[in-house]
Amino acid sequence: MFHPTCLGDPRNHDISKGSGGSTGEALPQWDLSDLYAATDDPKLAADLDRAEAEAQALEAEAAGKLEGMSGDALAAVIERFERVEEILGRAVSYAQLRFSGDATDSENGRFYQTMQERATAIGSHLLFLTLELNRLDDAVLERKLRESSALAAWESWLRDLRVFRPHQLSDEVEKLLHEKEVTGRSAWNRLFDETVAAMKVRVGEEELTVSAALNKLSDRDRSVREAAAKGVSAAFGGQVKLFSLITNTLAKDKEILDNWRRYPRPGSSRNRANMVEDEVVDALVSAVREAYPRLSHRYYSMKAKWLGMERMQHWDRNAPLPDEDDRTIPWLEAKERVFKAYNAFSPELASVGQRFFDNPWIDVPPRPGKASGAFAHPTVPSVHPYLLLNYHGKSRDVMTLAHELGHGVHQVLAADQGYLRSGTPLTLAETASVFGEMLTFRAVLDAETDPVRRRALLAGKVEDMLNTVVRQIAFYTFETRLHDARRKGELSAEQIGEIWMGVQTESLGPAFEFTPDYSVYWAYIPHFVHSPFYVYAYAFGDCLVNALYGVYQSGAVPDFQAKYLDLLRAGGTLRHRELLAPFGLDASDPGFWRKGLDVIAGFIDELEQPVAGAAA
């Protein structure tokens, strides 16, 4: 529980958008000293020693005694538990952010591993608490909650903890799994990260980082896109045995653990963590897959015609459109666009966002060794979040800034709930980020009077939405098929590639033909390694925001902005049904997902209309 989640932009799970060029500005970099001054900061060592002493004391005083405690005494134990967990979260956050800043620095890797090992060892003394709480009878816990207002404040956290009650193992097994994590999944994660960070991709005469090479896939020159695509294929093809081993090992590891915990299927544990029912996820996935023909298939057929092609290759998917404005957008202009959009919706929302620009909380410039893509890291409530970007000055980079700033603002507003209650399930964590994007896009679109540029903006937004919804559900389908197939035996790189090519063909449609070397492109998507079955959360968030924004535009809900800020402040204390109820929305309604998908379809309808002066 001491490892906060980094929340990223779905556009960056496949390629990092932008030209790969520089804006020529001095771009801001983060200063992590609000966490710790350095890896040898005496405060870090003192914090860990204090956490260890407090964890040992808590175990000695409370283990085996929770059932007999009064509600007030139990609340006090949970408060002490939270304080220790926050110290561990702070230390591991610092190590993770240093590692993300440069994974090629061996000292950063060593320090990150050391912090994880130390935090895991200290956390072993705290493990008794959650295990014992889940063993309490419902009637016993309900009585304690009624009798103690202090414990009642923890009711939402206890509710979410007890979701995992049917899947809890014996104390000895739970402790073993906890302590072996640092030599299990997290070690494979580190191997993946360090391998990708150290890789070089040849594109023409250049040797580029993976991130820079992927950026070339959106270059206006088709020959550059093709060279980049072939370079990426060659680089990952050369390492495909290693990536296949990582994938096979983690999938088998997950199967073993899921069987022990009695999860009905591979995605169930993620759904429990997201506090969403398997059936709700199934409804989302089915709705999106049924919509492939009217969404991605239809759009990409139009794009092929705009590009003057009968069929596109995979390296054409993110090609700029003929009418697209490909000028470099300075960082200061990007900040201004996003701030204005946030401020027009809610000055309070914008003022929270402004803190990230006034302080060194964002790391913006691309550089060797830095994590690709973008993410927001909440760290701990007593400090503040940090954002990581790779800014190349393109319009979609502006949208990435709007997305990550939404996460950051959400994390700041939820911080008052405290360390244990501020964390939001992934499905709802994407609400603020995608809503921030929508605010920014609508502001730019509404200000554009030229019909040709307006259509280019609209097409760019459709591509982003397809990447967020269609692409991520295709990734989810890939994971599901891969994990199901892995249960029958280890998969070869060729078998994994066949699954990948199948879902790409199905989701993107007949406008594409895929060269065989595209079959290795699954290998660099980090969510398959770091957080299996995470990706549908982006589609969940996008469809949810489309419906939510529709309510906002309609004016049907009084004081919408205040209710929206309350939604963000709630953190993890409320479930999706409770959070959406003030807006008249219900994610369990089968029609809910169609509302969100209809927004994308409506944009495509508009793009189908001829525009004078636009490319045919």
Side-chain angles (χ1 to χ4, degrees):
M1 297 181 69
F2 52 79
H3 196 162
T5 301
C6 294
L7 300 165
D9 183 345
R11 284 183 295 268
N12 296 296
H13 302 165
D14 188 26
I15 72 164
S16 297
K17 298 288 188 181
S19 67
S22 170
T23 63
E25 302 169 278
L27 299 175
Q29 299 185 49
W30 58 29
D31 179 352
L32 302 180
S33 60
D34 286 348
L35 292 165
Y36 294 104
T39 58
D40 59 355
D41 187 344
K43 185 177 185 301
L44 172 59
D47 279 355
L48 290 173
D49 288 344
R50 177 163 56 91
E52 185 169 29
E54 291 184 5
Q56 290 173 345
L58 188 59
E59 182 181 37
E61 295 168 24
K65 303 173 184 176
L66 301 189
E67 185 173 6
M69 287 183 178
S70 68
D72 287 350
L74 183 54
V77 169
I78 296 173
E79 289 166 8
R80 291 173 64 186
F81 170 81
E82 181 181 49
R83 287 195 294 271
V84 178
E85 286 282 345
E86 182 158 358
I87 295 171
L88 301 181
R90 183 174 186 146
V92 174
S93 294
Y94 177 64
Q96 184 179 10
L97 290 170
R98 285 184 63 94
F99 183 70
S100 298
D102 186 1
T104 60
D105 185 330
S106 59
E107 174 56 25
N108 286 342
R110 185 202 64 78
F111 177 66
Y112 185 23
Q113 180 69 16
T114 300
M115 287 299 99
Q116 288 189 99
E117 290 177 5
R118 183 78 189 277
T120 297
I122 295 171
S124 292
H125 297 292
L126 302 174
L127 196 59
F128 79 91
L129 179 73
T130 54
L131 298 179
E132 280 193 45
L133 285 172
N134 272 349
R135 285 201 298 271
L136 293 178
D137 287 339
D138 289 338
V140 171
L141 183 58
E142 287 168 10
R143 175 177 53 79
K144 292 180 188 293
L145 287 166
R146 285 196 307 271
E147 294 172 353
S148 170
S149 59
L151 185 62
W154 293 100
E155 186 169 7
S156 65
W157 180 73
L158 291 165
R159 171 204 65 196
D160 291 348
L161 176 66
R162 286 167 78 82
V163 165
F164 299 97
R165 195 179 180 195
H167 310 288
Q168 185 167 297
L169 304 175
S170 70
D171 289 6
E172 292 78 9
V173 173
E174 292 288 357
K175 187 171 184 180
L176 173 65
L177 292 171
H178 173 79
E179 293 183 358
K180 279 186 64 62
E181 173 66 18
V182 292
T183 58
R185 172 171 291 277
S186 65
W188 290 99
N189 288 180
R190 178 184 171 190
L191 174 61
F192 174 86
D193 289 343
E194 291 186 353
T195 300
V196 174
M199 286 173 65
K200 297 297 181 184
V201 179
R202 179 161 289 280
V203 180
E205 299 302 313
E206 296 182 282
E207 269 204 344
L208 304 176
T209 64
V210 170
S211 178
L214 294 172
N215 271 318
K216 297 290 187 181
L217 293 176
S218 59
D219 196 277
R220 188 166 291 280
D221 186 333
R222 193 179 191 221
S223 65
V224 172
R225 297 198 303 271
E226 181 177 2
K230 291 181 176 178
V232 170
S233 295
F236 280 87
Q239 296 268 25
V240 75
K241 287 186 178 180
L242 173 60
F243 291 121
S244 297
L245 175 61
I246 293 171
T247 299
N248 272 289
T249 302
L250 291 175
K252 186 63 180 178
D253 179 77
K254 188 176 192 318
E255 178 193 354
I256 293 169
L257 192 56
D258 283 350
N259 287 339
W260 273 78
R261 293 197 184 280
R262 301 181 298 281
Y263 282 114
R265 61 192 198 194
S268 293
S269 58
R270 175 66 61 192
N271 297 343
R272 300 294 186 278
N274 284 343
M275 303 302 157
V276 63
E277 301 78 11
D278 288 352
E279 295 74 24
V280 171
V281 177
D282 290 345
L284 166 64
V285 173
S286 295
V288 174
R289 292 184 64 190
E290 288 171 8
Y292 285 169
R294 71 186 181 107
L295 300 181
S296 50
H297 295 188
R298 183 162 59 120
Y299 174 77
Y300 288 121
S301 293
M302 284 194 299
K303 182 169 185 175
K305 292 177 183 176
W306 294 338
L307 295 175
M309 301 175 189
E310 188 171 329
R311 297 186 76 193
M312 294 188 290
Q313 299 294 334
H314 67 86
W315 56 79
D316 298 315
R317 183 173 61 84
N318 288 286
L321 298 173
D323 300 317
E324 187 174 320
D325 179 8
D326 62 350
R327 74 180 181 90
T328 297
I329 300 168
W331 170 249
L332 291 177
E333 182 179 335
K335 289 197 303 182
E336 186 67 15
R337 284 190 190 184
V338 174
F339 178 80
K340 281 186 174 180
Y342 275 52
N343 192 59
F345 172 74
S346 165
E348 183 178 354
L349 193 75
S351 69
V352 177
Q354 185 65 42
R355 298 182 203 173
F356 289 84
F357 301 134
D358 293 341
N359 297 283
W361 298 356
I362 312 181
D363 198 88
V364 176
R367 58 178 178 268
K370 182 179 176 180
S372 62
F375 65 69
H377 195 307
T379 71
V380 293
S382 56
V383 187
H384 54 77
Y386 283 93
L387 310 184
L388 179 144
L389 306 174
N390 281 279
Y391 189 77
H392 298 277
K394 295 306 176 185
S395 60
R396 282 165 175 157
D397 292 323
V398 179
M399 292 300 128
T400 295
L401 170 60
H403 182 105
E404 301 306 340
L405 189 65
H407 279 310
V409 168
H410 190 181
Q411 292 157 1
V412 169
L413 290 174
D416 286 344
Q417 299 292 347
Y419 185 72
L420 295 180
R421 290 169 290 191
S422 60
T424 308
L426 298 176
T427 42
L428 295 170
E430 292 305 322
T431 303
S433 56
V434 179
F435 198 87
E437 270 192 84
M438 184 65 85
L439 290 173
T440 305
F441 167 72
R442 288 288 188 176
V444 173
L445 186 69
D446 292 346
E448 184 54 70
T449 57
D450 182 272
V452 175
R453 289 198 291 267
R454 178 183 170 84
R455 190 177 82 160
L457 286 169
L458 199 58
K461 180 59 175 175
V462 167
E463 292 201 9
D464 287 345
M465 295 173 98
L466 293 178
N467 280 336
T468 304
V469 177
V470 169
R471 197 96 173 117
Q472 303 308 315
I473 292 302
F475 288 171
Y476 178 82
T477 303
F478 167 77
E479 287 188 279
T480 301
R481 293 176 182 174
L482 185 146
H483 281 259
D484 287 345
R486 178 64 180 91
R487 295 191 171 204
K488 300 173 185 176
E490 182 164 310
L491 301 173
S492 66
E494 291 75 20
Q495 288 173 305
I496 299 174
E498 287 174 11
I499 298 171
W500 172 257
M501 295 291 265
V503 298
Q504 297 307 305
T505 301
E506 175 188 285
S507 62
L508 297 177
F512 289 92
E513 59 181 16
F514 297 104
T515 53
D517 61 345
Y518 188 57
S519 64
V520 300
Y521 270 54
W522 57 270
Y524 64 77
I525 298 172
H527 280 62
F528 297 159
V529 173
H530 288 296
S531 43
F533 299 96
Y534 176 117
V535 288
Y536 77 79
Y538 293 107
F540 192 111
D542 197 274
C543 290
L544 188 156
V545 165
N546 287 343
L548 191 63
Y549 196 87
V551 172
Y552 167 58
Q553 281 192 309
S554 72
V557 174
D559 300 320
F560 181 96
Q561 286 89 336
K563 289 181 172 68
Y564 177 74
L565 289 172
D566 286 343
L567 180 153
L568 301 186
R569 289 191 187 96
T573 62
L574 300 177
R575 298 279 182 85
H576 61 83
R577 284 191 178 88
E578 299 165 300
L579 288 170
L580 295 179
F583 306 98
L585 299 171
D586 180 3
S588 64
D589 179 358
F592 175 82
W593 302 115
R594 187 173 180 86
K595 283 183 184 178
L597 298 173
D598 284 348
V599 172
I600 308 174
F603 286 165
I604 298 174
D605 290 343
E606 186 174 342
L607 288 170
E608 284 183 323
Q609 304 304 312
V611 175

